[in-house]
Amino acid sequence: MEYKLGKMLKSLKNQLFYSLTAVCLLGFSMHLMAQENTDTRWNPVLNKNEFVNPVIQGFFPDPSVVRVGEDYYCVNSTFEYFPGIIISHSKDLINWKQIGHVFTKSEEFDLTKYWDGMGVWAPDISYYNGEFYVFYCMVQLKKDRSYNVRGNYMVKSKNILGPWSKPIQITDNGNDPSHFVDVNGEHYMLYAAGIPQGNGTKIVKLNKDANSIVDGPYWIETEGKKAAPEGPHLLYKSGYYYLTMAASGGLFNGHHMLVARSKNVLGPYENSPYNPLLTQKNTAGINFHQGHGKLFKTQLDEWFTMVLSQRWLPSASTEKRYQKGVSQLGRETSLIRLNWTQDGWPVDEPSRQPLDIAIKPKLKEAKVINNYSDEFNNPKLNIPWQFRRNPLYANFSLTEKKGNLRLYSGDFDIDTLLGRNLILQRERWLKYTASTKLSFEPKTTEQAGLTCYYDTKTYARLGWQKGKHGDWELSLEEMKYGIPVVRKLTSIRKVSHLFLRLRVNKLIRVFEYSYDNKNWLSAGEILDASYLSDQGTPNWGFMGMMVGLYSFNRGSGNKIPADFDWFKIADYK
């Protein structure tokens, strides 16, 4: 559960922590994580009626929101991670609970061949006539565009929790599709043409089941020649069709939102005189690179959009790629309040700190619980967990050893696409502590442990393994821009189990171990983890940092069980 605590009294924070500790001791697997609250820039003192962005922290890019009655549902990109397309729910637009995924059956959604940062891009959720629709694209793209395969798909369900229909491919080109239903009930799909083709947006008319094209595509061109506008959405209001789009100024620096309107769904569209609709102009702001927003109205007639945004940390690194700073948590989701001008254009509402701090919606507060910690007592993992690509179920069990997650050591390391023996969840905080209890008995080259993971070219990990002389040791390893480094080796006693802990304080990461979960010993530290960020990968930097557990055998072929008794997320100490 995510509270925006601001600068609450230290005693209140301590009271909350000890209360939660008592709950854990009683056997509950919930954990209420407080938003990191010691940075006055990113956690300013708020008035009672204010909120601070992002409202969904961590790796939650490309949001799309739909309101059904008094309920709000948001979907976000998941790329090569499984289950695919995460779904979150809120009553007040500030507190969001992860409730499920669109794709949960591995055999029906193969992600095994998708490269880092590829797979599911920019899903859109809509609701019409009793059914939820999710449109999304599948992308396999090299940076030099020597390989560029894309396609847009649709699934639907009468229940937000599924089951969802089998995917139907609508186009074999383009990306970032969205669904629009006109006032006469006609269905349309918009999508970005995709670099290098696109100077605009394409639109097609669909049949009544929204599963095939009956007319088009047509071009909707706005703003002249721009670099592949993305994330297009349509809204009909007061006789006008409003088109919003993103990324016409680039994916990262200069990312912003544009708006245009027309009396005809196919255009021509005129550009707003107030463009860009959203862009961060305050260099000392909290959130930057806003985009991928769909406009919507609450049941109380307030207007908002939810957009991706990034928070950047200053880096001490002298490497050029980090000179502008690093986005440790990746692309997150922010809520932006909107107004309409007298001449009928949407603009962001003036606030104390534009795009960062705004007045809360006039909706009743509805706090939620997200179970980040996991006791592994249930037959299913908690919803925040993700597999990197499809899981190898033969190497994974929650039942073989009761109350434990068992990961058998896989044949491939986590630096390859084939290395799938790890489970991860999004880092949601700039400061936090993660710990686990691990039982393991390495025979030859096997290793199991705790990892901070971005992709195959970017991670850090603390692994329990057998040393060269037959002793046991902990190995702190880094993968920095595709270059592996063993940072520190620590000899340990031959024991049945160990406690491993990670303490993250922004770009400082401290790794520790314990024999009793009370007295902690150093296993090494990373004082400048700038590379553990969007900027630290030679691959596409579209995602965000993850934290989790892994086990592999370095080619020995041995299937050694690594039993994780629990995984806990706590406030930084």
Side-chain angles (χ1 to χ4, degrees):
M1 176 176 177
E2 214 172 330
Y3 293 101
K4 290 185 170 55
L5 296 178
K7 279 192 171 182
M8 290 181 69
L9 296 174
K10 185 177 180 180
S11 61
L12 182 58
K13 179 182 176 183
N14 289 339
Q15 181 181 354
L16 175 61
F17 175 77
Y18 289 120
S19 296
L20 294 176
T21 303
V23 170
C24 289
L25 291 174
L26 287 172
F28 289 92
S29 63
M30 74 171 129
H31 177 80
L32 312 182
M33 169 58 75
Q35 183 180 17
E36 181 269 326
N37 65 352
T38 58
D39 192 308
T40 56
R41 176 188 172 198
W42 284 340
N43 288 274
V45 176
L46 299 177
N47 297 324
K48 186 177 181 180
N49 64 339
E50 290 181 326
F51 72 93
V52 61
N53 278 314
V55 292
I56 309 181
Q57 299 170 291
F59 166 29
F60 286 87
D62 310 325
S64 175
V65 179
V66 66
R67 177 175 69 87
V68 181
E70 297 182 352
D71 296 285
Y72 296 84
Y73 301 100
C74 178
V75 293
N76 295 89
S77 298
T78 46
F79 299 92
E80 75 266 27
Y81 285 96
F82 183 87
I85 307 184
I86 193 163
I87 306 170
S88 302
H89 169 260
S90 179
K91 286 282 192 179
D92 60 10
L93 295 175
I94 303 298
N95 297 286
W96 289 86
K97 179 178 176 61
Q98 300 169 44
I99 61 172
H101 298 82
V102 172
F103 297 107
T104 58
K105 295 181 178 180
S106 181
E107 64 274 15
E108 294 181 358
F109 197 64
D110 187 4
L111 295 164
T112 54
K113 296 181 180 179
Y114 282 92
W115 304 319
D116 295 336
M118 297 296 104
V120 179
W121 282 18
D124 172 63
I125 188 169
S126 56
Y127 183 80
Y128 177 72
N129 199 25
E131 285 190 298
F132 291 93
Y133 294 79
V134 171
F135 284 67
Y136 64 97
C137 58
M138 300 297 293
V139 179
Q140 186 79 308
L141 174 67
K142 289 186 176 180
K143 279 194 169 183
D144 62 3
R145 271 91 182 168
S146 61
Y147 194 91
N148 187 351
V149 176
R150 308 169 187 234
N152 294 312
Y153 297 79
M154 183 276 294
V155 294
K156 57 185 175 179
S157 173
K158 294 185 181 296
N159 189 317
I160 190 64
L161 298 179
W164 294 83
S165 63
K166 290 186 178 181
I168 294 177
Q169 185 169 359
I170 307 296
T171 69
D172 61 0
N173 62 90
N175 54 276
D176 298 8
S178 68
H179 181 217
F180 172 71
V181 183
D182 209 344
V183 290
N184 58 9
E186 294 181 328
H187 296 256
Y188 293 86
M189 183 183 76
L190 290 84
Y191 59 102
I195 295 173
Q197 300 106 318
N199 291 325
T201 297
K202 284 185 176 180
I203 185 171
V204 293
K205 186 176 180 180
L206 304 174
N207 64 1
K208 64 180 179 62
D209 294 319
N211 59 17
S212 66
I213 298 172
V214 297
D215 194 18
Y218 297 97
W219 279 99
I220 299 177
E221 295 190 11
T222 61
E223 290 288 316
K225 291 185 178 181
K226 295 290 181 180
E230 296 182 347
H233 293 280
L234 271 183
L235 165 76
Y236 183 78
K237 180 181 182 295
S238 303
Y240 282 101
Y241 296 89
Y242 288 87
L243 170 67
T244 57
M245 67 204 96
S248 61
L251 289 170
F252 299 107
N253 292 321
H255 201 216
H256 57 272
M257 277 181 63
L258 301 174
V259 63
R261 72 183 183 188
S262 174
K263 289 284 189 179
N264 188 299
V265 68
L266 300 180
Y269 280 78
E270 62 172 322
N271 303 307
S272 170
Y274 306 100
N275 275 338
L277 168 59
L278 296 176
T279 190
Q280 180 60 274
K281 299 177 181 179
N282 178 13
T283 57
I286 299 171
N287 300 279
F288 294 85
H289 311 148
Q290 288 79 4
H292 279 261
K294 180 168 68 172
L295 281 56
F296 63 92
K297 182 175 67 171
T298 72
Q299 63 269 36
L300 300 179
D301 294 331
E302 296 179 289
W303 284 89
F304 292 91
T305 183
M306 290 185 73
V307 298
L308 68 82
S309 60
Q310 287 180 306
R311 294 180 287 171
W312 285 51
L313 290 166
S315 171
S317 175
T318 58
E319 294 186 57
K320 184 178 179 180
R321 69 177 68 96
Y322 307 126
Q323 288 180 359
K324 293 182 180 180
V326 298
S327 49
Q328 173 183 342
L329 297 183
R331 301 187 302 166
E332 308 176 280
T333 290
S334 288
L335 175 70
I336 310 296
R337 180 181 283 275
L338 300 175
N339 274 336
W340 290 85
T341 64
Q342 289 187 346
D343 52 347
W345 290 100
V347 293
D348 62 299
E349 184 174 281
S351 61
R352 175 155 68 94
Q353 192 164 316
L355 307 185
D356 294 332
I357 302 171
I359 303 299
K360 292 179 180 178
K362 297 176 183 177
L363 300 171
K364 184 178 179 181
E365 185 179 47
K367 295 183 178 181
V368 299
I369 295 173
N370 285 297
N371 295 332
Y372 306 118
S373 297
D374 203 330
E375 296 288 340
F376 302 129
N377 289 328
N378 297 317
K380 291 184 178 180
L381 292 166
N382 287 343
I383 288 175
W385 288 110
Q386 298 256 252
F387 292 94
R388 195 187 65 135
R389 301 178 179 85
N390 300 75
L392 291 169
Y393 287 115
N395 291 347
F396 163 83
S397 176
L398 283 164
T399 58
E400 284 189 18
K401 186 176 180 181
K402 188 175 180 180
N404 283 253
L405 165 66
R406 171 163 287 185
L407 287 178
Y408 284 98
S409 50
D411 293 334
F412 302 96
D413 201 345
I414 61 176
D415 62 352
T416 73
L417 300 189
L418 296 174
R420 289 147 56 190
N421 265 41
L422 72 167
I423 65 165
L424 304 159
Q425 57 177 273
R426 295 158 178 83
E427 290 191 349
R428 304 284 302 274
W429 318 273
L430 295 169
K431 292 184 179 181
Y432 74 96
T433 299
S435 59
T436 188
K437 179 183 177 183
L438 169 61
S439 298
F440 189 51
E441 189 177 349
K443 301 295 185 182
T444 55
T445 57
E446 304 80 29
Q447 188 186 96
L450 185 65
T451 182
C452 308
Y453 191 85
Y454 192 95
D455 62 17
T456 58
K457 304 296 184 183
T458 308
Y459 58 80
R461 67 186 181 200
L462 181 64
W464 181 353
Q465 65 184 22
K466 189 174 184 178
K468 292 182 179 180
H469 304 293
D471 57 339
W472 284 356
E473 63 188 12
L474 292 175
S475 179
L476 177 58
E477 303 170 6
E478 296 178 292
M479 179 66 77
K480 300 178 68 172
Y481 218 72
I483 300 174
V485 176
V486 176
R487 191 175 186 91
K488 183 179 180 180
L489 294 174
T490 303
S491 295
I492 58 173
R493 302 198 302 258
K494 286 200 172 183
V495 292
S496 61
H497 63 266
L498 271 179
F499 299 90
L500 304 180
R501 185 167 76 176
L502 162 72
R503 292 190 293 124
V504 176
N505 184 352
K506 297 179 182 175
L507 297 183
I508 298 174
R509 292 176 181 250
V510 177
F511 293 84
E512 298 170 316
Y513 70 101
S514 173
Y515 297 107
D516 59 8
N517 202 26
K518 296 178 181 178
N519 301 293
W520 291 91
L521 303 169
S522 174
E525 58 186 15
I526 301 172
L527 298 179
D528 180 12
S530 295
Y531 71 97
L532 296 176
S533 67
D534 286 348
Q535 292 69 39
T537 177
N539 299 316
W540 293 104
F542 290 157
M543 297 178 291
M545 282 303 302
M546 309 282 273
V547 62
L549 312 168
Y550 72 93
S551 175
F552 65 93
N553 62 33
R554 283 200 174 101
S556 72
N558 292 334
K559 299 296 183 183
I560 306 296
D563 293 320
F564 298 90
D565 194 349
W566 42 258
F567 177 86
K568 295 179 182 179
I569 295 285
D571 289 324
Y572 176 81
K573 290 187 176 298

